[in-house]
Amino acid sequence: MALLEALLREFRADADTPLAPLRERALAHARLRGLPTPRDEDWKYTDLGALTLAPPAVATTPGLDIGDIPFIDGAALRIVFVNGRFAPSLSALDALPAGLRVRALSAVLHEEPAALTTVFERCAADDAPVFDALNVALMQDGALIEVAADCAIAAPIVVAFIHAGAAHRGHTAPQLLVRAGERSRLVVVECHHGRDGAANLSNALTDIDVAANAQLTHYRLADEAPDANHIGSVRLRAGADSQVTSYSFAFGGKLTRMEIHAALAAPGATVTLNGLFVAGTGQHIDHQTFIDHQAPHTTSEELYKGLADGDGRGVFRGKVLVRAGAQKISAKQASHNLLLSPTAEIDTKPELEIYADDVACAHGATVGQIDRDAVFYLQSRGIPVDEARALLTFGFAQAVVEQVEFAPLRAWLTSALAGRADVPLPTLVEETT
Amino acid sequence: MLKIENLHVEVEGKPILRGINLEVPAGQVHAIMGPNGSGKSTLAHVIAGKPGYTVTQGSVSFNGTDLLGLEPEARAGEGVFLAFQYPLEIPGVNNVYMLKAALNGIRKYRGLPEMDAVQFLNLVKEKTKILGLKESLLNRPVNQGFSGGEKKRNEVFQMSVLEPKLAVLDETDSGLDIDALRIVAEGVNQLRSPERAFLVVTHYQRLLDYIVPDVVHVLAQGRIVKSGPRELALELEERGYDWLLPSAVA
Amino acid sequence: MATSPDVQTLIGQKYDAGFVTDIEQESLPPGLTEDTVRFVSAKKGEPQWMLDWRLKAFERWQQMKEPNWAHVHYPKIDYQAISYYAAPKSSKDRPQSLDDVDPKLIETYNKLGIPLEEQKMLAGVAVDVVFDSVSVHTTFKDKLAAAGVIFCSFSEAVREHPELVKRYLGSVVPQHDNYFAALNSAVFSDGSFVYIPKNTRCPMELSTYFRMNAMNTGQFERTLIIADTGSYVSYLEGCTAPQRDENQLHAAVVELIALDDAEIKYSTVQNWYPGDEEGRGGIYNFVTKRGDCRGRNSKISWTQVETGSAITWKYPSCVLKGENSVGEFYSVALANHRQQADTGTKMIHIGRNTRSTIVSKGISAGKGQNAYRGLVRIARSAEGARNYTQCDSLLMGDQCGAHTFPYVEVKNSSAQVEHEASTSKISDDQLFYLRSRGISNEDAVNLIVNGFCKQVFKELPMEFAVEAQKLLSISLEGAVG
């Protein structure tokens, strides 16, 4: 617990905001609970034993070039954070369309702390997950994105958290809050990207609130540097007749752990959760999704694809809860996984918990390898075996990738998959441009 | 045989049928036509006793028995059969097995002994031939994996086995190509007899080329707005329904 | 674990006197200590090795905690309030005729078409001669003996076949496997023992129903079945008729061992008292069942129809060690009224080319809560392993629950694991369709439920399957109104 004490000292320096008591309570809660172990059902397949929590990183802004930001081509609207701190020079917030407001949380903390109270209260509560509590206790910066009612924002807004430099070894706790007003439309691209030997632990919290009849698409990419760890928590609430789609892509990092909770809070809400992860040698990628049908006439769909290669390990746990009284529910969930090497491992646990009767729920899970017959088929057409395997792997992931409408991300995913497969890009990728 | 008097029906508080009067004597075929949403399917469902409909006024009697007071299976026992517009798929339940349970349920209702398996299978074989139904379909779960046409044929096949006194055909022609339509109509025509009545609900007069009705009724906005001979159907095809709607008549 | 002074006094006295004389006593007062274990063992005239084995289990149990991860809720069990040994009741304490038996029980027997004499036996009525069981029993014994099959009570096996018991007991479910298995290992009352010799096909289905002396084995039953190389046995456990039973907690252990090319088919129909509509009374059924496919090409198949018990906590499992071995699990579990079931299976693939199939059908009605919990684990060594899991839930009524918790862990890339699950309700439209064809509401529900369970019923021996269907329809009476 000495570690937490160190974190607490760091936090006290920042204790002059009105939210300080909540942050203190969150930290006390985290200290009391301690870090989870594999004995906790939610952490059965992920052991944090080897994880070290150093105090928050000292804000250093390494010399980053604008071209180092992923998807810069599609990021006309962007807010960028480097090693946990807002980087105005890399951001582009001058030409925001009417109805869209984007602010750094370091400013909001002092300007309008009331805008953060709900999230801070939730994360400081006794039943909040430890990492959510730690996040609000230690948060230094992040973004608040608000779109007003009746505003349809066509251009995607990119939120990039970049970790760079071997000196960057500490703990960061970034936050992204999205508030979509009634009947609004918005696309948010959240990107956690590590480079240049960063060895940080990023404990990120995303909180999304979508009001009635609004439509929100959220893309989230976790691509930390090879020695870095990423713990992400996404909480989203879908209001009446809203449509929310949230993607989680996990590629980089040593340990990546994602928790995605979607609450379908009012009738007519539709939530789609899709994901794709690739766990290569030395990587452990764990996704925990939880779809909570709180209201009748709600619909959810979920498709997760996982790839494990080398000695990589992939974990997927998808829980769907239909609460008592939530009738007329449709919930579909699929978890499909490929093992690409004899030493890789996949653990999957698709769960249904249903307390209503007028429901149509289904889930499916598969774990297997690339179809040998299909490899043979391609070989017989003259394609070399490695390329055939790569093609089929790529095809396997494609069901998720092709749904991505934000073209720069789709291109990034395509080339990342091709890079993994170690196959010349042109063979696989025709649509990159 | 079937006598409907001043029938008013609501669904979730919304009036659908607003005073239907209809009499179908034994041996006759009556067609019910009308625009979408006029209440045709509701009428068919109410006769068979589908839950979810509230009869607020009026009566439906069948050979003197009050149908409205009976459970759906008792109505089947009395001799009422509904061929569904959308036949249900029932996973795991064998088609022939279901039919045997139905036939014996009806026989029991009538105080007749159960039919044994050999008798029953002979009956089924004979009826399958008439409708050109693939025998392989018989042992599949009810309507599961059937094409649209096969489902409709299966409905008429069930009818031919159960030999009802009154058959209500709810849009039996929808989803059928012309060949399937002929086969289904042929099956129906073979069942026509002086003891049996038919109520044919349809949107298109094409079916009536093959199942020739004695009387055609036009149902619109919950009432029968016109009744006439077979030729009325042809006239409807030419002129549509608008000239018959209450506003136009008035 | 505090023991009341009275109990301590009793136990203390007994200990002072030594249990050689004290085993004249017919039953034990409530309470569980090392002396209880010694008493049970002595009462059965067990050899030292058996007592030592029990004591080791008891020692482990004392260090264990009752598990709480299952999706069931029940008041805390006071293990010191249970009596761990009671001799069969004497005739004068039992109902003297069927008139003294709960009429509801008799009604169920009649619906199941159980003959009068058998009803008496099931209801525990004092009868001097148990119909013609003696003759049935004798022909049965002769036939088995001719084939070399050993089928006897567990106590008898400890006396007559100690070398087999010593070699295999606890080799599949170790004493400390889990809390309830440890408890069972310490105080198990009796149970069945089966040994099928090499290259022998057991000439008949073995059924506890025929083994009269096993009727009163009570709450801590122990079963051990060994199928030697190239042998086959089908074992039926339980009975569709609800049995009179005064023990609320049941913690049985079943161990199956299949050697090279051997096959064991284990079928269960479980219909313990489920409690009344408000959830009062009813059996807690906390069972550990595990089969070890130890040999190459061996096969173990579990089929179960579970309609009884207030709480069921049961995961018949297969450890697939032998190359090409096969594990199967077919289950129908019903939770009506306030029943709670947390049941499923574990398929642990260790050997090469091992295959497993899981078909689980859960029905929830009334306020019942039905959970499927399953684990499919493919170890790194299980090259070419295959699993197919299908797990369907049917809901009847809007206050019940259906839950699915499958765990899939794959460490070998040549494995293929497939899991499918669905949850749906009996739709009003389906019921109306069948009723409009002249089928009564109840029959329509039965048709749909039987269709839903068909894949499992066809795995049961013929007679059992017919009974299981009947049982299901009786258990569901009034579930859809």
Side-chain angles (χ1 to χ4, degrees):
Chain A
M1 287 297 118
L3 168 67
L4 285 173
E5 293 302 333
L7 295 178
L8 183 65
R9 274 196 300 281
E10 178 77 15
F11 155 70
R12 286 219 186 273
D14 197 25
D16 57 339
T17 72
L19 292 169
L22 274 178
R23 305 184 77 175
E24 203 158 348
R25 202 204 299 164
L27 195 64
H29 163 55
R31 185 198 278 153
L32 203 66
R33 287 271 296 268
L35 294 185
T37 71
R39 278 191 300 278
D40 296 289
E41 183 64 25
D42 289 0
W43 291 83
K44 186 175 163 70
Y45 297 113
T46 296
D47 191 350
L48 294 175
L51 204 67
T52 49
L53 278 172
V58 181
T60 48
T61 310
L64 278 183
D65 186 69
I66 194 121
D68 295 335
I69 300 164
F71 332 124
I72 193 68
D73 294 341
L77 306 177
R78 63 179 184 270
I79 180 164
V80 180
F81 300 83
V82 177
N83 292 352
R85 294 290 189 186
F86 180 40
S89 62
L90 296 173
S91 304
L93 298 168
D94 298 334
L96 291 183
L100 180 64
R101 199 165 177 213
V102 180
R103 285 181 285 170
L105 289 179
S106 46
V108 179
L109 261 177
H110 298 279
E111 283 166 28
E112 197 195 340
L116 306 178
T117 317
T118 322
V119 175
F120 278 53
E121 272 175 352
R122 173 173 69 70
C123 297
D126 288 345
D127 58 350
V130 171
F131 281 101
D132 283 12
L134 274 176
N135 175 282
V136 298
L138 305 170
M139 188 271 282
Q140 294 165 309
D141 216 336
L144 172 63
I145 299 176
E146 294 160 296
V147 54
D150 298 299
C151 284
I153 310 296
I157 166 99
V158 172
V159 185
F161 297 97
I162 295 174
H163 302 285
H168 184 47
R169 318 196 73 82
H171 169 281
T172 51
Q175 225 176 72
L176 168 60
L177 310 183
V178 180
R179 304 287 173 252
E182 293 189 3
R183 294 170 302 278
S184 65
R185 195 165 68 230
L186 185 67
V187 178
V188 179
V189 183
E190 177 185 356
C191 164
H192 298 262
H193 175 64
R195 54 187 300 125
D196 308 330
N200 57 301
L201 166 69
S202 183
N203 172 24
L205 177 74
T206 307
D207 188 279
I208 298 173
D209 206 333
V210 182
N213 296 299
Q215 291 186 30
L216 180 95
T217 306
H218 170 233
Y219 300 104
R220 190 186 195 283
L221 172 66
D223 179 42
E224 300 286 358
D227 285 330
N229 299 302
H230 184 89
I231 291 175
S233 170
V234 176
R235 307 273 150 165
L236 64 88
R237 273 172 310 284
D241 299 300
S242 65
Q243 288 180 40
V244 185
T245 304
S246 179
Y247 291 85
S248 175
F249 299 101
F251 279 75
K254 206 156 51 185
L255 170 88
T256 300
R257 156 82 179 196
M258 287 301 308
E259 263 180 43
I260 299 162
H261 285 217
L264 291 88
T270 301
V271 167
T272 306
L273 297 185
N274 289 340
L276 172 67
F277 61 83
V278 181
T281 290
Q283 286 187 296
H284 181 109
I285 299 179
D286 179 349
H287 271 87
Q288 308 268 317
T289 69
F290 177 38
I291 295 180
D292 186 355
H293 285 270
Q294 298 172 347
H297 292 280
T298 49
T299 303
S300 69
E301 222 170 297
E302 187 170 9
L303 173 63
Y304 266 78
K305 297 256 183 176
L307 293 160
D309 202 356
D311 68 356
R313 185 171 180 194
V315 179
F316 172 80
R317 178 188 182 209
K319 178 167 169 173
V320 175
L321 171 68
V322 178
R323 295 192 187 246
Q327 303 289 4
K328 308 277 177 198
I329 301 297
S330 164
K332 281 187 209 145
Q333 184 193 72
S335 155
H336 297 301
N337 304 280
L338 271 190
L339 288 167
L340 299 171
S341 93
T343 44
E345 176 171 352
I346 291 280
D347 302 302
T348 177
K349 187 184 178 209
E351 288 178 46
L352 293 172
E353 202 168 334
I354 294 166
Y355 295 93
D357 73 323
D358 196 354
V359 299
C361 300
H363 69 210
T366 55
V367 182
Q369 59 182 337
I370 295 172
D371 183 355
R372 285 183 198 144
D373 293 342
V375 174
F376 170 71
Y377 178 79
L378 292 177
Q379 283 180 283
S380 76
R381 295 289 173 273
I383 299 169
V385 63
D386 287 346
E387 207 172 310
R389 286 175 59 87
L391 258 178
L392 291 167
T393 306
F394 185 76
F396 171 81
Q398 194 60 15
V400 175
V401 174
E402 71 189 6
Q403 290 187 47
V404 173
E405 284 174 21
F406 179 55
L409 175 59
R410 201 170 58 231
W412 189 95
L413 292 168
T414 306
S415 75
L417 283 167
R420 290 281 180 159
D422 203 18
V423 159
L425 210 65
T427 334
L428 291 178
V429 188
E430 287 165 20
E431 57 144 10
T432 314
T433 44
Chain B
M1 178 174 273
L2 176 71
K3 194 170 179 188
I4 301 176
E5 286 180 308
N6 190 31
L7 183 67
H8 288 254
V9 173
E10 289 183 356
V11 175
E12 289 173 357
K14 199 176 145 221
I16 306 288
L17 299 183
R18 311 152 181 258
I20 300 274
N21 289 292
L22 176 68
E23 202 163 332
V24 185
Q28 290 200 358
V29 174
H30 286 218
I32 304 270
M33 300 186 71
N36 285 332
S38 57
K40 300 190 298 288
S41 280
T42 299
L43 179 62
H45 287 155
V46 169
I47 293 171
K50 184 172 178 170
Y53 296 92
T54 314
V55 175
T56 52
Q57 269 188 69
S59 67
V60 178
S61 74
F62 183 66
N63 290 330
T65 307
D66 172 22
L67 273 191
L68 297 179
L70 298 180
E71 293 295 312
E73 58 268 35
R75 299 186 199 205
E78 291 289 336
V80 176
F81 180 92
L82 171 65
F84 282 55
Q85 183 181 3
Y86 304 110
L88 274 292
E89 297 185 5
I90 305 181
V93 177
N94 179 301
N95 210 15
V96 175
Y97 187 73
M98 185 276 274
L99 204 51
K100 183 161 174 274
L103 186 67
N104 282 329
I106 291 170
R107 291 177 70 93
K108 198 173 154 198
Y109 182 84
R110 296 179 185 164
L112 297 170
E114 291 202 355
M115 193 181 262
D116 70 38
V118 178
Q119 272 177 304
F120 176 76
L121 283 176
N122 285 337
L123 176 71
V124 162
K125 270 211 180 112
E126 180 196 320
K127 302 290 183 183
T128 5
K129 265 187 226 139
I130 297 171
L131 280 157
L133 203 64
K134 276 183 260 161
E135 276 196 45
S136 61
L137 293 183
L138 294 177
N139 291 311
R140 290 240 294 269
V142 179
N143 291 324
Q144 219 181 19
F146 287 33
S147 71
E150 284 170 338
K151 283 182 185 171
K152 292 302 177 73
R153 248 187 270 184
N154 192 27
E155 291 292 286
V156 177
F157 162 67
Q158 289 178 18
M159 177 170 79
S160 72
V161 172
L162 299 178
E163 301 188 314
K165 293 176 189 145
L166 170 70
V168 181
L169 310 184
D170 188 7
E171 308 258 359
T172 295
D173 49 338
S174 65
L176 294 185
D177 62 26
I178 190 67
D179 290 334
L181 185 68
R182 278 202 199 105
I183 293 169
V184 164
E186 177 63 16
V188 171
N189 286 331
Q190 290 202 9
L191 287 169
R192 287 181 78 156
S193 86
E195 298 84 45
R196 190 169 286 141
F198 286 86
L199 193 60
V200 180
V201 175
T202 181
H203 195 61
Y204 304 102
Q205 86 84 31
R206 170 56 55 91
L207 178 68
L208 306 180
D209 287 346
Y210 297 95
I211 304 173
V212 180
D214 298 292
V215 184
V216 175
H217 306 276
V218 180
L219 187 63
Q221 299 177 359
R223 289 190 191 91
I224 290 180
V225 293
K226 190 170 178 65
S227 302
R230 192 232 168 307
E231 289 68 30
L232 176 58
L234 295 169
E235 195 177 351
L236 287 170
E237 187 171 52
E238 232 166 74
R239 297 178 62 187
Y241 292 101
D242 287 350
W243 60 286
L244 284 170
L245 296 184
S247 54
V249 174
Chain C
M1 269 179 220
T3 315
S4 77
D6 285 354
V7 173
Q8 250 159 2
T9 319
L10 276 168
I11 294 166
Q13 281 172 353
K14 179 163 51 70
Y15 191 79
D16 291 340
F19 32 80
V20 181
T21 48
D22 246 278
I23 60 166
E24 296 306 320
Q25 197 179 325
E26 282 309 315
S27 55
L28 272 184
L32 179 53
T33 65
E34 195 181 302
D35 289 330
T36 321
V37 178
R38 288 177 184 279
F39 179 87
V40 171
S41 182
K43 196 76 193 165
K44 297 186 160 296
E46 286 176 352
Q48 187 64 34
W49 63 265
M50 192 69 249
L51 172 63
D52 291 345
W53 196 85
R54 286 178 182 271
L55 288 173
K56 199 173 140 207
F58 179 70
E59 197 191 317
R60 296 301 289 264
W61 179 76
Q62 282 181 305
Q63 294 155 12
M64 295 170 91
K65 267 197 196 155
E66 194 171 335
N68 62 1
W69 43 260
H71 198 273
V72 297
H73 304 277
Y74 55 90
K76 207 162 166 41
I77 298 170
D78 180 358
Y79 292 91
Q80 297 301 338
I82 295 170
S83 169
Y84 290 84
Y85 185 85
K89 285 208 169 177
S90 72
S91 293
K92 65 178 189 335
D93 293 334
R94 305 164 83 175
Q96 294 304 304
S97 76
L98 282 178
D99 297 340
D100 299 340
V101 176
D102 181 359
K104 271 200 167 167
L105 200 62
I106 303 296
E107 198 186 315
T108 311
Y109 289 160
N110 288 334
K111 278 182 193 156
L112 284 165
I114 292 170
L116 214 60
E117 289 304 321
E118 257 178 85
Q119 292 191 10
K120 286 186 187 168
M121 191 191 74
L122 291 164
V125 172
V127 279
D128 294 333
V129 184
V130 182
F131 59 114
D132 58 351
S133 72
V134 179
S135 57
V136 170
H137 198 219
T138 316
T139 20
F140 180 64
K141 275 245 155 179
D142 290 347
K143 242 178 152 179
L144 290 178
V149 171
I150 304 170
F151 179 33
C152 61
S153 75
F154 203 90
S155 314
E156 196 182 328
V158 170
R159 285 194 305 271
E160 308 291 328
H161 310 284
E163 68 298 337
L164 284 173
V165 176
K166 263 195 235 174
R167 191 186 322 163
Y168 292 107
L169 178 66
S171 72
V172 186
V173 180
Q175 288 133 304
H176 56 274
D177 186 80
N178 67 71
Y179 189 79
F180 299 111
L183 179 64
N184 174 291
S185 300
V187 298
F188 68 84
S189 28
D190 209 331
S192 306
F193 177 86
V194 176
Y195 172 78
I196 314 291
K198 278 184 186 157
N199 303 319
T200 304
R201 194 178 168 89
C202 186
M204 65 188 68
E205 270 157 358
L206 299 182
S207 163
T208 46
Y209 182 78
F210 283 116
R211 224 197 57 238
M212 298 306 165
N213 60 351
M215 284 305 287
N216 254 320
T217 45
Q219 50 193 146
F220 302 107
E221 195 168 344
R222 187 100 201 176
T223 303
L224 178 57
I225 299 176
I226 303 133
D228 211 327
T229 307
S231 68
Y232 169 86
V233 62
S234 166
Y235 186 89
L236 315 183
E237 168 198 55
C239 180
T240 49
Q243 293 178 36
R244 197 182 69 108
D245 196 302
E246 280 147 9
N247 303 311
Q248 192 170 32
L249 172 67
H250 279 242
V253 172
V254 176
E255 296 179 273
L256 310 183
I257 295 127
L259 301 180
D260 286 357
D261 302 299
E263 178 176 350
I264 302 174
K265 189 171 168 59
Y266 194 104
S267 313
T268 306
V269 172
Q270 184 265 117
N271 188 24
W272 300 110
Y273 181 53
D276 67 10
E277 274 143 51
E278 294 309 311
R280 284 180 297 248
I283 304 285
Y284 296 174
N285 190 23
F286 300 151
V287 185
T288 306
K289 289 185 166 175
R290 195 171 304 152
D292 190 351
C293 281
R294 217 165 272 185
R296 294 164 57 99
N297 310 319
S298 58
K299 178 175 175 183
I300 288 178
S301 176
W302 299 98
T303 306
Q304 60 173 30
V305 176
E306 301 269 333
T307 62
S309 298
I311 297 174
T312 304
W313 184 99
K314 177 180 175 189
Y315 315 92
S317 306
C318 296
V319 183
L320 303 167
K321 288 187 195 141
E323 210 173 302
N324 302 323
S325 61
V326 176
E328 292 177 341
F329 174 77
Y330 297 93
S331 168
V332 168
L334 167 78
N336 196 1
H337 304 308
R338 287 182 186 267
Q339 281 175 276
Q340 307 173 56
D342 193 299
T343 179
T345 183
K346 288 191 252 180
M347 293 290 172
I348 313 291
H349 291 255
I350 296 168
R352 292 165 61 90
N353 296 321
T354 46
R355 278 161 294 146
S356 65
T357 304
I358 300 171
V359 176
S360 163
K361 304 280 181 175
I363 302 166
S364 311
K367 291 183 172 150
Q369 296 292 332
N370 207 335
Y372 168 82
R373 186 181 304 276
L375 167 67
V376 175
R377 176 179 290 154
I378 311 287
R380 191 135 285 157
S381 53
E383 191 74 21
R386 296 275 179 279
N387 162 268
Y388 172 74
T389 301
Q390 187 189 339
C391 176
D392 297 317
S393 305
L394 191 66
L395 294 154
M396 302 166 80
D398 56 4
Q399 294 184 59
C400 52
H403 318 297
T404 318
F405 307 105
Y407 298 71
V408 181
E409 304 173 4
V410 185
K411 286 191 168 73
N412 186 299
S413 65
S414 65
Q416 293 285 352
V417 177
E418 206 176 322
H419 172 99
E420 279 178 49
S422 75
T423 304
S424 55
K425 70 171 215 156
I426 293 187
S427 85
D428 295 339
D429 286 345
Q430 284 177 334
L431 282 179
F432 171 64
Y433 184 74
L434 292 173
R435 293 174 72 191
S436 79
R437 294 292 174 262
I439 299 168
S440 73
N441 199 35
E442 211 132 273
D443 286 350
V445 171
N446 284 338
L447 267 182
I448 292 173
V449 168
N450 282 328
F452 177 75
C453 301
K454 203 155 66 182
Q455 267 172 292
V456 175
F457 286 160
K458 75 175 173 39
E459 297 297 325
L460 285 171
M462 187 62 173
E463 271 182 47
F464 241 35
V466 175
E467 285 184 35
Q469 270 192 35
K470 258 195 228 166
L471 175 62
L472 207 58
S473 74
I474 290 169
S475 308
L476 275 171
E477 260 174 26
V480 167

